[in-house]
Amino acid sequence: MNAENPNTQRSISSADDFPLHQASEYIRHAATSDRNFYDRYYFNLHPSSDRYFAIFGLGQYPNLGTTDAFLAVTHDGVQRIMRASKPLTNRFDISVGPMRIEIIEPLEKLRVVVEPNEADIAMNITWTASHRAFEEPRQYLRARGTVVFDTQRFAQLGRWEGTLTVAGDDIAVTADHCGGSRDRSWGVRPVGEQQPDGIRQNISVMAGMWNYMPMDFDDHSIIYMCHEEPSGNRPLEEGVRVWHDESRGHDWLGRPEWSHDTITGTRLLSGSRISFPDAPEGPITVEAEPLVTNFISLGTGYGMDADWRHGMWQGEDEVVQALEFKVDEIAALAQYGVVDSVGQFSYNGNIGYGLYEHGFFGPFEKLNLHDAGDMFR
């Protein structure tokens, strides 16, 4: 038997011992050769208040040969970020640098550990689902002949418990106060090194307004999303109430409508009203208020850093980096990307908390944004 060349990567991995195959390929290789194929976890953690907001995730990019992860925590006006990257060798290895994800009960319970690192943030927390995983609508966008988004994902809200450490202080994470949402998504979306625009020069594939607000109430969750283009067309929208008692299932709330309170001189919001005129028991209007913001567009890989984008090759060796920002100093730039906040939501006597996410990309005439650099008036 010939000795194996240590520089030759094997296609077979531990995942191939499980009946998971969807194509005539080893699990290491995606069925598509599209460089932008990805498979990612996203989580957030909040204490149902404005005390702090933690966002963290891990992604694999089989056709780019890399995997990366991040933890970003906003606390006392400071945003601390740990980010890590390494070559992808085994898709069953859900760890990068100091972060690892442990699936205790699929779709029910997960553990996320971030060992101490130079960013001075760490965690050891366990998440338990409040309701069954909900299958969100597929996102499909084609620009000038090329598929730029073709993604599938599911969402859940749940409760966290364990310990979050920030700047040397251990913060107790308890299920009675600490909630959050997660999503699992996979498919094709822009990742890795920036590609030449070519025929798509000056075209934003996510032009217009993006809203994503999963809300957790006592006995149910509401998931609202809306991508509305400047023309008014909606490539993606969702309005659903998922009951925590599985026997009650879920209710489609119909086409969502929005009304936002804008902050003059920015692309940020101070509040919203999300309405569901066709809800089964009659019209619903949810009042939404952002409490504390985490600008994930900077430092975590979501597109604004030339040197660190999701899936970008960082070299043969594992890389771990630490960043620290003053939140009020990065807002002027980060507001042009996706903005994530802890949200407080209320309707018909129900009070809940969750993710208040928005982004405005390019012009959006409905809110008097006339070009890519315009601000709310």
Side-chain angles (χ1 to χ4, degrees):
M1 184 174 180
N2 294 329
E4 184 176 350
N5 184 344
N7 296 318
T8 301
Q9 186 184 68
R10 302 177 69 200
S11 291
I12 194 169
S13 69
S14 60
D16 289 298
D17 219 3
F18 294 82
L20 302 173
H21 300 86
Q22 301 295 311
S24 53
E25 291 282 4
Y26 290 103
I27 293 294
R28 181 189 304 278
H29 305 305
T32 175
S33 61
D34 192 317
R35 69 183 297 279
N36 290 323
F37 182 83
Y38 79 104
D39 206 342
R40 183 180 301 152
Y41 295 82
Y42 165 96
F43 303 91
N44 61 58
L45 159 66
H46 61 78
S48 302
S49 72
D50 63 358
R51 185 181 177 195
Y52 63 83
F53 192 23
I55 302 177
F56 38 107
L58 183 151
Q60 295 184 349
Y61 315 90
N63 295 337
L64 298 177
T66 188
T67 177
D68 51 35
F70 73 92
L71 166 62
V73 181
T74 298
H75 181 260
D76 286 342
V78 177
Q79 188 163 313
R80 294 176 173 87
I81 298 170
M82 182 286 300
R83 62 190 189 187
S85 174
K86 70 178 183 181
L88 176 62
T89 58
N90 188 343
R91 296 190 65 187
F92 260 23
D93 176 12
I94 318 175
S95 70
V96 187
M99 176 183 285
R100 69 180 185 271
I101 298 173
E102 301 173 5
I103 302 173
I104 300 171
E105 299 176 35
L107 305 182
E108 295 288 343
K109 187 183 294 288
L110 297 92
R111 180 178 179 228
V112 181
V113 177
V114 178
E115 303 289 355
N117 58 83
E118 292 184 1
D120 214 5
I121 47 178
M123 61 169 52
N124 188 336
I125 54 175
T126 300
W127 184 86
T128 302
S130 295
H131 58 82
R132 67 185 301 179
F134 181 78
E135 300 170 11
E136 293 186 340
R138 190 166 184 165
Q139 185 177 22
Y140 186 91
L141 291 172
R142 186 187 294 272
R144 291 285 183 96
T146 298
V147 174
V148 288
F149 276 82
D150 185 7
T151 66
Q152 186 66 68
R153 71 185 201 177
F154 66 79
Q156 280 181 302
L157 290 100
R159 314 301 297 177
W160 292 102
E161 55 185 339
T163 303
L164 171 68
T165 302
V166 181
D169 293 334
D170 290 338
I171 301 171
V173 175
T174 58
D176 55 341
H177 290 100
C178 297
S181 61
R182 74 158 179 144
D183 68 60
R184 279 282 290 113
S185 65
W186 58 93
V188 171
R189 66 188 297 180
V191 295
E193 290 77 5
Q194 186 71 43
Q195 292 180 270
D197 289 330
I199 195 173
R200 294 184 300 281
Q201 190 170 3
N202 300 322
I203 293 178
S204 172
V205 296
M206 280 289 288
M209 182 195 74
W210 169 255
N211 290 170
Y212 182 55
M213 300 181 190
M215 322 165 194
D216 192 10
F217 299 96
D218 286 340
D219 62 354
H220 67 280
S221 299
I222 289 178
I223 301 172
Y224 154 69
M225 71 173 70
C226 179
H227 173 205
E228 185 166 324
E229 296 175 331
S231 65
N233 178 53
R234 293 184 176 183
L236 187 68
E237 65 178 9
E238 180 79 293
V240 64
R241 176 173 49 205
V242 184
W243 295 98
H244 296 173
D245 178 353
E246 188 173 327
S247 67
R248 299 183 67 177
H250 60 268
D251 303 323
W252 297 108
L253 300 178
R255 176 185 170 91
E257 302 295 342
W258 54 268
S259 174
H260 295 313
D261 298 322
T262 60
I263 300 176
T264 300
T266 75
R267 287 196 169 212
L268 302 174
L269 302 178
S270 62
S272 302
R273 285 153 301 284
I274 309 303
S275 299
F276 304 96
D278 301 319
E281 73 276 26
I284 292 174
T285 297
V286 179
E287 298 282 344
E289 177 188 0
L291 301 180
V292 60
T293 296
N294 190 317
F295 287 111
I296 63 166
S297 289
L298 284 179
T300 64
Y302 278 94
M304 298 192 78
D305 299 278
D307 64 336
W308 195 284
R309 291 164 50 89
H310 289 154
M312 181 178 284
W313 178 247
Q314 301 294 336
E316 293 288 352
D317 298 323
E318 185 172 78
V319 175
V320 180
Q321 297 180 353
L323 302 174
E324 184 175 307
F325 303 114
K326 294 288 183 64
V327 173
D328 57 358
E329 292 178 359
I330 63 174
L333 174 61
Q335 66 183 331
Y336 287 99
V338 173
V339 178
D340 280 8
S341 302
V342 177
Q344 178 176 288
F345 303 93
S346 61
Y347 80 99
N348 297 352
N350 298 288
I351 305 293
Y353 297 87
L355 174 64
Y356 181 97
E357 178 178 275
H358 71 270
F360 296 92
F361 311 113
F364 193 66
E365 296 286 348
K366 282 189 176 181
L367 291 175
N368 294 314
L369 298 175
H370 305 293
D371 58 48
D374 214 354
M375 302 292 191
F376 295 131
R377 295 176 173 83

